[in-house]
Amino acid sequence: MKENNTSSDYSKLELGEFSNLTKNVFQPSPDFKLDGKKFVKDELGLTSSEISFNTMAPNTAIPLLHKHKENEEIYIAVKGKGQLLLNDNYVDLKEGTVVRVATDTERAIRNNSDSLFSFIVIQAKENSLEGSTVSDGYLIEKKPNWN
């Protein structure tokens, strides 16, 4: 994992293959740690969201439920299969599944398969988006120079 460029125009971080994320350890407290989780907000200088890249070993689970005060979460399954537990409801995840979870929803995730499960989680302040790609973006006179 190496940082290639950080400037006021953009920032770039090379994470490598998802399977290598299992070497990352996130430890929010002395008595709790998660293997395979990499937050990128600080390295990229993100100002409107937090993104984590995650890989769970086969047949593992997050042993706790949590909620968020302000941030909704978007779970994007990238490879393998898993399951979210959302307010006592099981939601199956497979490659290409995208799930939005509201702030006050109890949540946990597990890999209930025999292979690695990789996913991305994006956190952003609930109800804060005022424009989207079409309404926020605008064209400029300049054409791209791909030479």
Side-chain angles (χ1 to χ4, degrees):
M1 198 175 333
K2 66 179 186 174
E3 196 168 329
N4 283 353
N5 190 330
T6 301
S7 72
S8 61
D9 294 335
Y10 72 95
S11 51
K12 178 182 176 183
L13 178 67
E14 295 289 344
L15 292 176
E17 295 183 16
F18 269 80
S19 59
N20 291 333
L21 289 175
T22 56
K23 299 171 187 167
N24 285 313
V25 176
F26 170 66
Q27 190 159 5
S29 69
D31 48 340
F32 181 71
K33 72 175 187 163
L34 291 174
D35 295 332
K37 185 172 208 60
K38 173 67 177 164
F39 286 103
V40 299
K41 180 182 84 58
D42 293 336
E43 281 113 325
L44 289 174
L46 301 177
T47 63
S48 62
S49 62
E50 171 67 276
I51 303 172
S52 67
F53 292 81
N54 307 267
T55 294
M56 295 180 79
N59 300 302
T60 59
I62 303 299
L64 54 87
L65 288 166
H66 75 284
K67 294 182 179 185
H68 283 267
K69 296 174 189 172
E70 295 185 345
N71 295 338
E72 65 185 5
E73 289 183 315
I74 300 93
Y75 289 78
I76 305 166
V78 176
K79 186 174 183 179
K81 294 179 181 178
Q83 209 170 47
L84 282 167
L85 178 59
L86 304 174
N87 289 338
D88 297 324
N89 296 305
Y90 296 99
V91 177
D92 292 326
L93 304 171
K94 64 181 180 181
E95 186 174 332
T97 303
V98 180
V99 177
R100 176 197 162 268
V101 181
T103 53
D104 198 39
T105 302
E106 294 177 353
R107 69 204 72 183
I109 192 165
R110 71 177 176 177
N111 178 351
N112 57 341
S113 76
D114 293 328
S115 58
L116 289 177
F117 174 47
S118 297
F119 58 98
I120 299 168
V121 180
I122 301 170
Q123 290 184 37
K125 188 172 182 180
E126 196 169 51
N127 297 312
S128 65
L129 188 64
E130 294 182 10
S132 61
T133 303
V134 175
S135 63
D136 185 57
Y138 59 94
L139 295 176
I140 59 175
E141 296 292 323
K142 187 177 177 181
K143 300 288 183 193
N145 180 1
W146 295 108
N147 295 328

